[in-house]
Structures are given as C-alpha cells and as structure tokens.
Amino acid sequence: MSVQTSDISLGPPRRLVHVRRRPASLFRQRLVDCIICFFAMPLAVALGGVIALSIRLDGGPALYSQRRVGHGGRIFNCLKFRSMVLNADERLEEVLAADPSAREQWERYQKLEDDPRITPLGRILRACSLDELPQLINVCRGEMSIVGPRPILTEQVLLYGESFPEYCRLRPGITGLWQIAGRNKFTFAERVRLDMQYAKSWSVWSDLRIILLTIPAVLAGRGAK
C-alpha cells in the first residue's frame, strides 16, 4: 500500500546542513531528550520490570540487542524487549525461502505483515510500542533521540542510497514521522523520504509535536506490530 508522505507536514523545509551542524540546535534537542528521560524513567523502570519478568517466564532473555547504524554512521547496540522467538533469524530464512510472496513483501517493506517469528506476548508489546521502552537507555547514552529517523540495520545502508549521508547527521529516534503516520503502511523507500522530510523540517517544536501525536497514534494501533 502506497502512502502519500507529502500529506505529512512539519512546516517549511530548512537546510539540513545548517540545522544539524549548529551546536546550539544539537544542544536543544539533547536537552529535550534528557528532560523527557528524567521524568519518564521512573515509570519506565517500574513498567519495564513487569514486562521483563513476563518475557522471562515465557523462556529466554528479556532484552534483545541489535546492531544499528547511528549518528555519524557509528554502530551501536539498539535495545528492545524481546518480542520474537529465540531462533528468529533462522526462522526468517526458512519463511523467505519457502514463501515467494513473503520474500517479495520483505524486500519491499523490510518486514512481514504476519510475522511468524513474533511471540504472543511480543504482539501485545509491539501493538503498544512497549517493546521499544528500553531504547530510553539508548537515549540516555546519547546514541538515540526521542524523535528521529528509524534506526537502520547495517544491511539497509545501501537501501538509503544517496540519502545515507543525511541520515548520518541525525540521531535515530524512538518515534518519528513514520510512527504517527502508521509506519507499517510504508515501503522502505517511502520511509527514507519521511526521514529526509523530517531532517529538512527539523526544529524543537516539530519534535514536541511528533511526541504529542505519537500518543494517539499508539493508542489507535498505528505503532509497531
């Protein structure tokens, strides 16, 4: 399903090289991240403890760490609550090898609509975007921001094409335009366009607007699934 990303607006575009390389702008974004983490962390720790225990009772580790590309092209370990079976990578290879339609969907969207790797508890966590709660730790470390482009895998770098240098000027985010617009509907190419639109229109106020719009988007089920 194709989504018209031009319908999502954050305001007039700004020159990315000016906005993202200006120390004051970077400081303001980092300050907002730190303030949000300060107030959100107590609730996140309490809720995260319950989630972690539930996953552990289901068997296997509660946390899942995956290498992602971050600011400046640096690789970091992106944290999530585990929402898939333990042998998820092997299971994916089996599904793509056995089902041509699943392979076509993976190549187009980099995800599967009915992913057989996701556990029952994982589906609940993803529907509420609670699987991404540990990424607040990544934000505290300065590896991510509250708002930004979706953190990409190393094998997805080539899919970004000429836009990859622009991606590297950003910190990937827990939420972003892809979240409030219903990211499951986007092809990977459309996701790249959203990331670039966010980058060129960035401001502290646009970040705050995205944060506010994320809440109804998650409640409406337009988050990760």
Side-chain angles (χ1 to χ4, degrees), residues 167-192:
Y167 169 90
C168 289
R169 294 192 178 113
L170 312 170
R171 285 192 184 95
I174 299 178
T175 187
L177 284 180
W178 40 269
Q179 175 74 290
I180 64 176
R183 68 177 180 224
N184 288 319
K185 300 177 181 178
F186 296 130
T187 65
F188 196 87
E190 288 169 330
R191 193 177 102 182
V192 171

mmCIF file with all atom_site columns, all heavy atoms in Angstrom, residues 167-192:
data_model
loop_
_atom_site.group_PDB
_atom_site.id
_atom_site.type_symbol
_atom_site.label_atom_id
_atom_site.label_alt_id
_atom_site.label_comp_id
_atom_site.label_asym_id
_atom_site.label_entity_id
_atom_site.label_seq_id
_atom_site.pdbx_PDB_ins_code
_atom_site.Cartn_x
_atom_site.Cartn_y
_atom_site.Cartn_z
_atom_site.occupancy
_atom_site.B_iso_or_equiv
_atom_site.pdbx_formal_charge
_atom_site.auth_seq_id
_atom_site.auth_comp_id
_atom_site.auth_asym_id
_atom_site.auth_atom_id
_atom_site.pdbx_PDB_model_num
ATOM 1   N N   . TYR A 1 167 ? 21.142 10.869 6.650  1.00 0.00 ? 167 TYR A N   1
ATOM 2   C CA  . TYR A 1 167 ? 20.731 10.059 7.801  1.00 0.00 ? 167 TYR A CA  1
ATOM 3   C C   . TYR A 1 167 ? 21.805 10.105 8.887  1.00 0.00 ? 167 TYR A C   1
ATOM 4   O O   . TYR A 1 167 ? 21.499 10.191 10.085 1.00 0.00 ? 167 TYR A O   1
ATOM 5   C CB  . TYR A 1 167 ? 20.489 8.618  7.355  1.00 0.00 ? 167 TYR A CB  1
ATOM 6   C CG  . TYR A 1 167 ? 20.320 7.637  8.498  1.00 0.00 ? 167 TYR A CG  1
ATOM 7   C CD1 . TYR A 1 167 ? 19.067 7.369  9.036  1.00 0.00 ? 167 TYR A CD1 1
ATOM 8   C CD2 . TYR A 1 167 ? 21.431 6.992  9.049  1.00 0.00 ? 167 TYR A CD2 1
ATOM 9   C CE1 . TYR A 1 167 ? 18.922 6.478  10.090 1.00 0.00 ? 167 TYR A CE1 1
ATOM 10  C CE2 . TYR A 1 167 ? 21.290 6.102  10.106 1.00 0.00 ? 167 TYR A CE2 1
ATOM 11  C CZ  . TYR A 1 167 ? 20.034 5.843  10.621 1.00 0.00 ? 167 TYR A CZ  1
ATOM 12  O OH  . TYR A 1 167 ? 19.890 4.968  11.680 1.00 0.00 ? 167 TYR A OH  1
ATOM 13  N N   . CYS A 1 168 ? 23.070 10.058 8.485  1.00 0.00 ? 168 CYS A N   1
ATOM 14  C CA  . CYS A 1 168 ? 24.174 10.011 9.441  1.00 0.00 ? 168 CYS A CA  1
ATOM 15  C C   . CYS A 1 168 ? 24.307 11.298 10.236 1.00 0.00 ? 168 CYS A C   1
ATOM 16  O O   . CYS A 1 168 ? 24.976 11.317 11.275 1.00 0.00 ? 168 CYS A O   1
ATOM 17  C CB  . CYS A 1 168 ? 25.491 9.708  8.715  1.00 0.00 ? 168 CYS A CB  1
ATOM 18  S SG  . CYS A 1 168 ? 25.624 8.024  8.111  1.00 0.00 ? 168 CYS A SG  1
ATOM 19  N N   . ARG A 1 169 ? 23.700 12.388 9.775  1.00 0.00 ? 169 ARG A N   1
ATOM 20  C CA  . ARG A 1 169 ? 23.753 13.644 10.521 1.00 0.00 ? 169 ARG A CA  1
ATOM 21  C C   . ARG A 1 169 ? 22.726 13.674 11.650 1.00 0.00 ? 169 ARG A C   1
ATOM 22  O O   . ARG A 1 169 ? 22.704 14.613 12.442 1.00 0.00 ? 169 ARG A O   1
ATOM 23  C CB  . ARG A 1 169 ? 23.514 14.824 9.577  1.00 0.00 ? 169 ARG A CB  1
ATOM 24  C CG  . ARG A 1 169 ? 24.616 15.021 8.542  1.00 0.00 ? 169 ARG A CG  1
ATOM 25  C CD  . ARG A 1 169 ? 24.456 16.363 7.844  1.00 0.00 ? 169 ARG A CD  1
ATOM 26  N NE  . ARG A 1 169 ? 25.530 16.564 6.884  1.00 0.00 ? 169 ARG A NE  1
ATOM 27  C CZ  . ARG A 1 169 ? 25.359 16.612 5.573  1.00 0.00 ? 169 ARG A CZ  1
ATOM 28  N NH1 . ARG A 1 169 ? 24.149 16.459 5.065  1.00 0.00 ? 169 ARG A NH1 1
ATOM 29  N NH2 . ARG A 1 169 ? 26.382 16.795 4.764  1.00 0.00 ? 169 ARG A NH2 1
ATOM 30  N N   . LEU A 1 170 ? 21.864 12.661 11.701 1.00 0.00 ? 170 LEU A N   1
ATOM 31  C CA  . LEU A 1 170 ? 20.790 12.614 12.686 1.00 0.00 ? 170 LEU A CA  1
ATOM 32  C C   . LEU A 1 170 ? 21.073 11.546 13.732 1.00 0.00 ? 170 LEU A C   1
ATOM 33  O O   . LEU A 1 170 ? 21.821 10.608 13.491 1.00 0.00 ? 170 LEU A O   1
ATOM 34  C CB  . LEU A 1 170 ? 19.456 12.290 12.007 1.00 0.00 ? 170 LEU A CB  1
ATOM 35  C CG  . LEU A 1 170 ? 19.097 13.074 10.752 1.00 0.00 ? 170 LEU A CG  1
ATOM 36  C CD1 . LEU A 1 170 ? 17.876 12.445 10.098 1.00 0.00 ? 170 LEU A CD1 1
ATOM 37  C CD2 . LEU A 1 170 ? 18.831 14.525 11.090 1.00 0.00 ? 170 LEU A CD2 1
ATOM 38  N N   . ARG A 1 171 ? 20.440 11.676 14.883 1.00 0.00 ? 171 ARG A N   1
ATOM 39  C CA  . ARG A 1 171 ? 20.370 10.564 15.814 1.00 0.00 ? 171 ARG A CA  1
ATOM 40  C C   . ARG A 1 171 ? 19.064 9.826  15.537 1.00 0.00 ? 171 ARG A C   1
ATOM 41  O O   . ARG A 1 171 ? 18.012 10.456 15.446 1.00 0.00 ? 171 ARG A O   1
ATOM 42  C CB  . ARG A 1 171 ? 20.375 11.051 17.270 1.00 0.00 ? 171 ARG A CB  1
ATOM 43  C CG  . ARG A 1 171 ? 21.716 11.514 17.777 1.00 0.00 ? 171 ARG A CG  1
ATOM 44  C CD  . ARG A 1 171 ? 21.660 11.697 19.299 1.00 0.00 ? 171 ARG A CD  1
ATOM 45  N NE  . ARG A 1 171 ? 22.914 12.243 19.818 1.00 0.00 ? 171 ARG A NE  1
ATOM 46  C CZ  . ARG A 1 171 ? 23.131 13.524 20.043 1.00 0.00 ? 171 ARG A CZ  1
ATOM 47  N NH1 . ARG A 1 171 ? 22.178 14.394 19.756 1.00 0.00 ? 171 ARG A NH1 1
ATOM 48  N NH2 . ARG A 1 171 ? 24.281 13.945 20.508 1.00 0.00 ? 171 ARG A NH2 1
ATOM 49  N N   . PRO A 1 172 ? 19.092 8.517  15.400 1.00 0.00 ? 172 PRO A N   1
ATOM 50  C CA  . PRO A 1 172 ? 17.834 7.787  15.197 1.00 0.00 ? 172 PRO A CA  1
ATOM 51  C C   . PRO A 1 172 ? 16.927 7.951  16.408 1.00 0.00 ? 172 PRO A C   1
ATOM 52  O O   . PRO A 1 172 ? 17.397 8.201  17.520 1.00 0.00 ? 172 PRO A O   1
ATOM 53  C CB  . PRO A 1 172 ? 18.293 6.334  15.013 1.00 0.00 ? 172 PRO A CB  1
ATOM 54  C CG  . PRO A 1 172 ? 19.657 6.275  15.608 1.00 0.00 ? 172 PRO A CG  1
ATOM 55  C CD  . PRO A 1 172 ? 20.265 7.631  15.426 1.00 0.00 ? 172 PRO A CD  1
ATOM 56  N N   . GLY A 1 173 ? 15.621 7.831  16.184 1.00 0.00 ? 173 GLY A N   1
ATOM 57  C CA  . GLY A 1 173 ? 14.666 8.122  17.245 1.00 0.00 ? 173 GLY A CA  1
ATOM 58  C C   . GLY A 1 173 ? 13.791 6.950  17.643 1.00 0.00 ? 173 GLY A C   1
ATOM 59  O O   . GLY A 1 173 ? 13.599 5.999  16.884 1.00 0.00 ? 173 GLY A O   1
ATOM 60  N N   . ILE A 1 174 ? 13.242 7.040  18.852 1.00 0.00 ? 174 ILE A N   1
ATOM 61  C CA  . ILE A 1 174 ? 12.260 6.056  19.311 1.00 0.00 ? 174 ILE A CA  1
ATOM 62  C C   . ILE A 1 174 ? 10.960 6.241  18.550 1.00 0.00 ? 174 ILE A C   1
ATOM 63  O O   . ILE A 1 174 ? 10.261 5.278  18.231 1.00 0.00 ? 174 ILE A O   1
ATOM 64  C CB  . ILE A 1 174 ? 12.020 6.206  20.830 1.00 0.00 ? 174 ILE A CB  1
ATOM 65  C CG1 . ILE A 1 174 ? 13.312 5.954  21.606 1.00 0.00 ? 174 ILE A CG1 1
ATOM 66  C CG2 . ILE A 1 174 ? 10.927 5.255  21.301 1.00 0.00 ? 174 ILE A CG2 1
ATOM 67  C CD1 . ILE A 1 174 ? 13.164 6.129  23.109 1.00 0.00 ? 174 ILE A CD1 1
ATOM 68  N N   . THR A 1 175 ? 10.628 7.492  18.261 1.00 0.00 ? 175 THR A N   1
ATOM 69  C CA  . THR A 1 175 ? 9.447  7.781  17.461 1.00 0.00 ? 175 THR A CA  1
ATOM 70  C C   . THR A 1 175 ? 9.829  8.760  16.354 1.00 0.00 ? 175 THR A C   1
ATOM 71  O O   . THR A 1 175 ? 10.944 9.268  16.317 1.00 0.00 ? 175 THR A O   1
ATOM 72  C CB  . THR A 1 175 ? 8.307  8.363  18.329 1.00 0.00 ? 175 THR A CB  1
ATOM 73  O OG1 . THR A 1 175 ? 7.118  8.484  17.530 1.00 0.00 ? 175 THR A OG1 1
ATOM 74  C CG2 . THR A 1 175 ? 8.668  9.736  18.881 1.00 0.00 ? 175 THR A CG2 1
ATOM 75  N N   . GLY A 1 176 ? 8.908  8.987  15.442 1.00 0.00 ? 176 GLY A N   1
ATOM 76  C CA  . GLY A 1 176 ? 9.172  9.881  14.319 1.00 0.00 ? 176 GLY A CA  1
ATOM 77  C C   . GLY A 1 176 ? 7.958  9.994  13.420 1.00 0.00 ? 176 GLY A C   1
ATOM 78  O O   . GLY A 1 176 ? 6.864  9.548  13.781 1.00 0.00 ? 176 GLY A O   1
ATOM 79  N N   . LEU A 1 177 ? 8.161  10.578 12.259 1.00 0.00 ? 177 LEU A N   1
ATOM 80  C CA  . LEU A 1 177 ? 7.045  10.716 11.317 1.00 0.00 ? 177 LEU A CA  1
ATOM 81  C C   . LEU A 1 177 ? 6.462  9.362  10.937 1.00 0.00 ? 177 LEU A C   1
ATOM 82  O O   . LEU A 1 177 ? 5.258  9.223  10.742 1.00 0.00 ? 177 LEU A O   1
ATOM 83  C CB  . LEU A 1 177 ? 7.508  11.454 10.059 1.00 0.00 ? 177 LEU A CB  1
ATOM 84  C CG  . LEU A 1 177 ? 7.705  12.966 10.164 1.00 0.00 ? 177 LEU A CG  1
ATOM 85  C CD1 . LEU A 1 177 ? 8.171  13.518 8.823  1.00 0.00 ? 177 LEU A CD1 1
ATOM 86  C CD2 . LEU A 1 177 ? 6.422  13.646 10.592 1.00 0.00 ? 177 LEU A CD2 1
ATOM 87  N N   . TRP A 1 178 ? 7.328  8.348  10.820 1.00 0.00 ? 178 TRP A N   1
ATOM 88  C CA  . TRP A 1 178 ? 6.868  7.011  10.463 1.00 0.00 ? 178 TRP A CA  1
ATOM 89  C C   . TRP A 1 178 ? 5.919  6.447  11.509 1.00 0.00 ? 178 TRP A C   1
ATOM 90  O O   . TRP A 1 178 ? 5.048  5.641  11.204 1.00 0.00 ? 178 TRP A O   1
ATOM 91  C CB  . TRP A 1 178 ? 8.077  6.077  10.293 1.00 0.00 ? 178 TRP A CB  1
ATOM 92  C CG  . TRP A 1 178 ? 9.134  6.325  11.320 1.00 0.00 ? 178 TRP A CG  1
ATOM 93  C CD1 . TRP A 1 178 ? 10.188 7.187  11.202 1.00 0.00 ? 178 TRP A CD1 1
ATOM 94  C CD2 . TRP A 1 178 ? 9.212  5.770  12.631 1.00 0.00 ? 178 TRP A CD2 1
ATOM 95  N NE1 . TRP A 1 178 ? 10.931 7.183  12.361 1.00 0.00 ? 178 TRP A NE1 1
ATOM 96  C CE2 . TRP A 1 178 ? 10.361 6.323  13.250 1.00 0.00 ? 178 TRP A CE2 1
ATOM 97  C CE3 . TRP A 1 178 ? 8.450  4.850  13.325 1.00 0.00 ? 178 TRP A CE3 1
ATOM 98  C CZ2 . TRP A 1 178 ? 10.743 5.997  14.539 1.00 0.00 ? 178 TRP A CZ2 1
ATOM 99  C CZ3 . TRP A 1 178 ? 8.832  4.512  14.616 1.00 0.00 ? 178 TRP A CZ3 1
ATOM 100 C CH2 . TRP A 1 178 ? 9.964  5.089  15.210 1.00 0.00 ? 178 TRP A CH2 1
ATOM 101 N N   . GLN A 1 179 ? 6.082  6.862  12.775 1.00 0.00 ? 179 GLN A N   1
ATOM 102 C CA  . GLN A 1 179 ? 5.236  6.350  13.846 1.00 0.00 ? 179 GLN A CA  1
ATOM 103 C C   . GLN A 1 179 ? 3.846  6.983  13.802 1.00 0.00 ? 179 GLN A C   1
ATOM 104 O O   . GLN A 1 179 ? 2.832  6.291  13.849 1.00 0.00 ? 179 GLN A O   1
ATOM 105 C CB  . GLN A 1 179 ? 5.897  6.643  15.200 1.00 0.00 ? 179 GLN A CB  1
ATOM 106 C CG  . GLN A 1 179 ? 5.089  6.278  16.429 1.00 0.00 ? 179 GLN A CG  1
ATOM 107 C CD  . GLN A 1 179 ? 5.037  4.798  16.685 1.00 0.00 ? 179 GLN A CD  1
ATOM 108 O OE1 . GLN A 1 179 ? 4.409  4.072  15.940 1.00 0.00 ? 179 GLN A OE1 1
ATOM 109 N NE2 . GLN A 1 179 ? 5.692  4.350  17.741 1.00 0.00 ? 179 GLN A NE2 1
ATOM 110 N N   . ILE A 1 180 ? 3.792  8.305  13.670 1.00 0.00 ? 180 ILE A N   1
ATOM 111 C CA  . ILE A 1 180 ? 2.493  8.982  13.749 1.00 0.00 ? 180 ILE A CA  1
ATOM 112 C C   . ILE A 1 180 ? 1.668  8.790  12.479 1.00 0.00 ? 180 ILE A C   1
ATOM 113 O O   . ILE A 1 180 ? 0.461  8.989  12.486 1.00 0.00 ? 180 ILE A O   1
ATOM 114 C CB  . ILE A 1 180 ? 2.672  10.490 14.042 1.00 0.00 ? 180 ILE A CB  1
ATOM 115 C CG1 . ILE A 1 180 ? 3.406  11.201 12.900 1.00 0.00 ? 180 ILE A CG1 1
ATOM 116 C CG2 . ILE A 1 180 ? 3.401  10.695 15.351 1.00 0.00 ? 180 ILE A CG2 1
ATOM 117 C CD1 . ILE A 1 180 ? 3.518  12.707 13.092 1.00 0.00 ? 180 ILE A CD1 1
ATOM 118 N N   . ALA A 1 181 ? 2.327  8.387  11.389 1.00 0.00 ? 181 ALA A N   1
ATOM 119 C CA  . ALA A 1 181 ? 1.595  8.188  10.143 1.00 0.00 ? 181 ALA A CA  1
ATOM 120 C C   . ALA A 1 181 ? 1.229  6.727  9.915  1.00 0.00 ? 181 ALA A C   1
ATOM 121 O O   . ALA A 1 181 ? 0.516  6.418  8.966  1.00 0.00 ? 181 ALA A O   1
ATOM 122 C CB  . ALA A 1 181 ? 2.422  8.698  8.962  1.00 0.00 ? 181 ALA A CB  1
ATOM 123 N N   . GLY A 1 182 ? 1.683  5.825  10.791 1.00 0.00 ? 182 GLY A N   1
ATOM 124 C CA  . GLY A 1 182 ? 1.388  4.414  10.621 1.00 0.00 ? 182 GLY A CA  1
ATOM 125 C C   . GLY A 1 182 ? 2.426  3.726  9.783  1.00 0.00 ? 182 GLY A C   1
ATOM 126 O O   . GLY A 1 182 ? 2.229  3.428  8.618  1.00 0.00 ? 182 GLY A O   1
ATOM 127 N N   . ARG A 1 183 ? 3.598  3.455  10.379 1.00 0.00 ? 183 ARG A N   1
ATOM 128 C CA  . ARG A 1 183 ? 4.757  3.042  9.607  1.00 0.00 ? 183 ARG A CA  1
ATOM 129 C C   . ARG A 1 183 ? 4.605  1.698  8.933  1.00 0.00 ? 183 ARG A C   1
ATOM 130 O O   . ARG A 1 183 ? 5.319  1.390  7.992  1.00 0.00 ? 183 ARG A O   1
ATOM 131 C CB  . ARG A 1 183 ? 6.004  3.050  10.474 1.00 0.00 ? 183 ARG A CB  1
ATOM 132 C CG  . ARG A 1 183 ? 6.043  2.000  11.552 1.00 0.00 ? 183 ARG A CG  1
ATOM 133 C CD  . ARG A 1 183 ? 7.365  2.104  12.276 1.00 0.00 ? 183 ARG A CD  1
ATOM 134 N NE  . ARG A 1 183 ? 7.443  1.107  13.333 1.00 0.00 ? 183 ARG A NE  1
ATOM 135 C CZ  . ARG A 1 183 ? 7.887  1.373  14.539 1.00 0.00 ? 183 ARG A CZ  1
ATOM 136 N NH1 . ARG A 1 183 ? 8.249  2.596  14.836 1.00 0.00 ? 183 ARG A NH1 1
ATOM 137 N NH2 . ARG A 1 183 ? 7.972  0.431  15.442 1.00 0.00 ? 183 ARG A NH2 1
ATOM 138 N N   . ASN A 1 184 ? 3.699  0.843  9.394  1.00 0.00 ? 184 ASN A N   1
ATOM 139 C CA  . ASN A 1 184 ? 3.531  -0.455 8.758  1.00 0.00 ? 184 ASN A CA  1
ATOM 140 C C   . ASN A 1 184 ? 3.040  -0.336 7.322  1.00 0.00 ? 184 ASN A C   1
ATOM 141 O O   . ASN A 1 184 ? 3.125  -1.281 6.546  1.00 0.00 ? 184 ASN A O   1
ATOM 142 C CB  . ASN A 1 184 ? 2.554  -1.313 9.563  1.00 0.00 ? 184 ASN A CB  1
ATOM 143 C CG  . ASN A 1 184 ? 3.164  -1.790 10.869 1.00 0.00 ? 184 ASN A CG  1
ATOM 144 O OD1 . ASN A 1 184 ? 4.324  -2.165 10.920 1.00 0.00 ? 184 ASN A OD1 1
ATOM 145 N ND2 . ASN A 1 184 ? 2.395  -1.751 11.928 1.00 0.00 ? 184 ASN A ND2 1
ATOM 146 N N   . LYS A 1 185 ? 2.527  0.828  6.939  1.00 0.00 ? 185 LYS A N   1
ATOM 147 C CA  . LYS A 1 185 ? 1.997  1.022  5.597  1.00 0.00 ? 185 LYS A CA  1
ATOM 148 C C   . LYS A 1 185 ? 3.074  1.454  4.607  1.00 0.00 ? 185 LYS A C   1
ATOM 149 O O   . LYS A 1 185 ? 2.823  1.482  3.400  1.00 0.00 ? 185 LYS A O   1
ATOM 150 C CB  . LYS A 1 185 ? 0.884  2.081  5.632  1.00 0.00 ? 185 LYS A CB  1
ATOM 151 C CG  . LYS A 1 185 ? -0.291 1.719  6.529  1.00 0.00 ? 185 LYS A CG  1
ATOM 152 C CD  . LYS A 1 185 ? -1.298 2.856  6.565  1.00 0.00 ? 185 LYS A CD  1
ATOM 153 C CE  . LYS A 1 185 ? -2.474 2.519  7.473  1.00 0.00 ? 185 LYS A CE  1
ATOM 154 N NZ  . LYS A 1 185 ? -3.442 3.642  7.547  1.00 0.00 ? 185 LYS A NZ  1
ATOM 155 N N   . PHE A 1 186 ? 4.234  1.808  5.097  1.00 0.00 ? 186 PHE A N   1
ATOM 156 C CA  . PHE A 1 186 ? 5.249  2.387  4.235  1.00 0.00 ? 186 PHE A CA  1
ATOM 157 C C   . PHE A 1 186 ? 6.171  1.344  3.626  1.00 0.00 ? 186 PHE A C   1
ATOM 158 O O   . PHE A 1 186 ? 6.593  0.400  4.293  1.00 0.00 ? 186 PHE A O   1
ATOM 159 C CB  . PHE A 1 186 ? 6.119  3.388  5.010  1.00 0.00 ? 186 PHE A CB  1
ATOM 160 C CG  . PHE A 1 186 ? 5.371  4.584  5.516  1.00 0.00 ? 186 PHE A CG  1
ATOM 161 C CD1 . PHE A 1 186 ? 5.489  4.980  6.832  1.00 0.00 ? 186 PHE A CD1 1
ATOM 162 C CD2 . PHE A 1 186 ? 4.561  5.298  4.674  1.00 0.00 ? 186 PHE A CD2 1
ATOM 163 C CE1 . PHE A 1 186 ? 4.804  6.090  7.302  1.00 0.00 ? 186 PHE A CE1 1
ATOM 164 C CE2 . PHE A 1 186 ? 3.871  6.406  5.125  1.00 0.00 ? 186 PHE A CE2 1
ATOM 165 C CZ  . PHE A 1 186 ? 3.989  6.795  6.444  1.00 0.00 ? 186 PHE A CZ  1
ATOM 166 N N   . THR A 1 187 ? 6.496  1.535  2.353  1.00 0.00 ? 187 THR A N   1
ATOM 167 C CA  . THR A 1 187 ? 7.621  0.800  1.791  1.00 0.00 ? 187 THR A CA  1
ATOM 168 C C   . THR A 1 187 ? 8.891  1.408  2.381  1.00 0.00 ? 187 THR A C   1
ATOM 169 O O   . THR A 1 187 ? 8.869  2.498  2.961  1.00 0.00 ? 187 THR A O   1
ATOM 170 C CB  . THR A 1 187 ? 7.661  0.923  0.265  1.00 0.00 ? 187 THR A CB  1
ATOM 171 O OG1 . THR A 1 187 ? 7.907  2.294  -0.080 1.00 0.00 ? 187 THR A OG1 1
ATOM 172 C CG2 . THR A 1 187 ? 6.350  0.472  -0.364 1.00 0.00 ? 187 THR A CG2 1
ATOM 173 N N   . PHE A 1 188 ? 10.015 0.727  2.215  1.00 0.00 ? 188 PHE A N   1
ATOM 174 C CA  . PHE A 1 188 ? 11.263 1.254  2.770  1.00 0.00 ? 188 PHE A CA  1
ATOM 175 C C   . PHE A 1 188 ? 11.629 2.565  2.080  1.00 0.00 ? 188 PHE A C   1
ATOM 176 O O   . PHE A 1 188 ? 12.122 3.502  2.717  1.00 0.00 ? 188 PHE A O   1
ATOM 177 C CB  . PHE A 1 188 ? 12.390 0.233  2.609  1.00 0.00 ? 188 PHE A CB  1
ATOM 178 C CG  . PHE A 1 188 ? 13.576 0.537  3.469  1.00 0.00 ? 188 PHE A CG  1
ATOM 179 C CD1 . PHE A 1 188 ? 13.642 0.071  4.772  1.00 0.00 ? 188 PHE A CD1 1
ATOM 180 C CD2 . PHE A 1 188 ? 14.623 1.308  2.991  1.00 0.00 ? 188 PHE A CD2 1
ATOM 181 C CE1 . PHE A 1 188 ? 14.742 0.365  5.578  1.00 0.00 ? 188 PHE A CE1 1
ATOM 182 C CE2 . PHE A 1 188 ? 15.716 1.599  3.782  1.00 0.00 ? 188 PHE A CE2 1
ATOM 183 C CZ  . PHE A 1 188 ? 15.778 1.126  5.074  1.00 0.00 ? 188 PHE A CZ  1
ATOM 184 N N   . ALA A 1 189 ? 11.379 2.656  0.775  1.00 0.00 ? 189 ALA A N   1
ATOM 185 C CA  . ALA A 1 189 ? 11.690 3.886  0.038  1.00 0.00 ? 189 ALA A CA  1
ATOM 186 C C   . ALA A 1 189 ? 10.876 5.053  0.571  1.00 0.00 ? 189 ALA A C   1
ATOM 187 O O   . ALA A 1 189 ? 11.376 6.183  0.686  1.00 0.00 ? 189 ALA A O   1
ATOM 188 C CB  . ALA A 1 189 ? 11.437 3.695  -1.449 1.00 0.00 ? 189 ALA A CB  1
ATOM 189 N N   . GLU A 1 190 ? 9.608  4.820  0.914  1.00 0.00 ? 190 GLU A N   1
ATOM 190 C CA  . GLU A 1 190 ? 8.765  5.880  1.470  1.00 0.00 ? 190 GLU A CA  1
ATOM 191 C C   . GLU A 1 190 ? 9.254  6.265  2.866  1.00 0.00 ? 190 GLU A C   1
ATOM 192 O O   . GLU A 1 190 ? 9.175  7.437  3.260  1.00 0.00 ? 190 GLU A O   1
ATOM 193 C CB  . GLU A 1 190 ? 7.315  5.420  1.511  1.00 0.00 ? 190 GLU A CB  1
ATOM 194 C CG  . GLU A 1 190 ? 6.680  5.348  0.135  1.00 0.00 ? 190 GLU A CG  1
ATOM 195 C CD  . GLU A 1 190 ? 5.340  4.638  0.138  1.00 0.00 ? 190 GLU A CD  1
ATOM 196 O OE1 . GLU A 1 190 ? 5.133  3.748  0.974  1.00 0.00 ? 190 GLU A OE1 1
ATOM 197 O OE2 . GLU A 1 190 ? 4.499  4.970  -0.718 1.00 0.00 ? 190 GLU A OE2 1
ATOM 198 N N   . ARG A 1 191 ? 9.752  5.302  3.595  1.00 0.00 ? 191 ARG A N   1
ATOM 199 C CA  . ARG A 1 191 ? 10.294 5.586  4.919  1.00 0.00 ? 191 ARG A CA  1
ATOM 200 C C   . ARG A 1 191 ? 11.515 6.495  4.818  1.00 0.00 ? 191 ARG A C   1
ATOM 201 O O   . ARG A 1 191 ? 11.686 7.420  5.623  1.00 0.00 ? 191 ARG A O   1
ATOM 202 C CB  . ARG A 1 191 ? 10.682 4.271  5.601  1.00 0.00 ? 191 ARG A CB  1
ATOM 203 C CG  . ARG A 1 191 ? 10.955 4.422  7.079  1.00 0.00 ? 191 ARG A CG  1
ATOM 204 C CD  . ARG A 1 191 ? 11.264 3.070  7.685  1.00 0.00 ? 191 ARG A CD  1
ATOM 205 N NE  . ARG A 1 191 ? 12.690 2.895  7.883  1.00 0.00 ? 191 ARG A NE  1
ATOM 206 C CZ  . ARG A 1 191 ? 13.231 1.785  8.374  1.00 0.00 ? 191 ARG A CZ  1
ATOM 207 N NH1 . ARG A 1 191 ? 12.469 0.756  8.656  1.00 0.00 ? 191 ARG A NH1 1
ATOM 208 N NH2 . ARG A 1 191 ? 14.537 1.703  8.555  1.00 0.00 ? 191 ARG A NH2 1
ATOM 209 N N   . VAL A 1 192 ? 12.353 6.253  3.812  1.00 0.00 ? 192 VAL A N   1
ATOM 210 C CA  . VAL A 1 192 ? 13.526 7.106  3.599  1.00 0.00 ? 192 VAL A CA  1
ATOM 211 C C   . VAL A 1 192 ? 13.081 8.535  3.301  1.00 0.00 ? 192 VAL A C   1
ATOM 212 O O   . VAL A 1 192 ? 13.649 9.499  3.826  1.00 0.00 ? 192 VAL A O   1
ATOM 213 C CB  . VAL A 1 192 ? 14.392 6.555  2.450  1.00 0.00 ? 192 VAL A CB  1
ATOM 214 C CG1 . VAL A 1 192 ? 15.498 7.553  2.085  1.00 0.00 ? 192 VAL A CG1 1
ATOM 215 C CG2 . VAL A 1 192 ? 15.004 5.220  2.837  1.00 0.00 ? 192 VAL A CG2 1
#
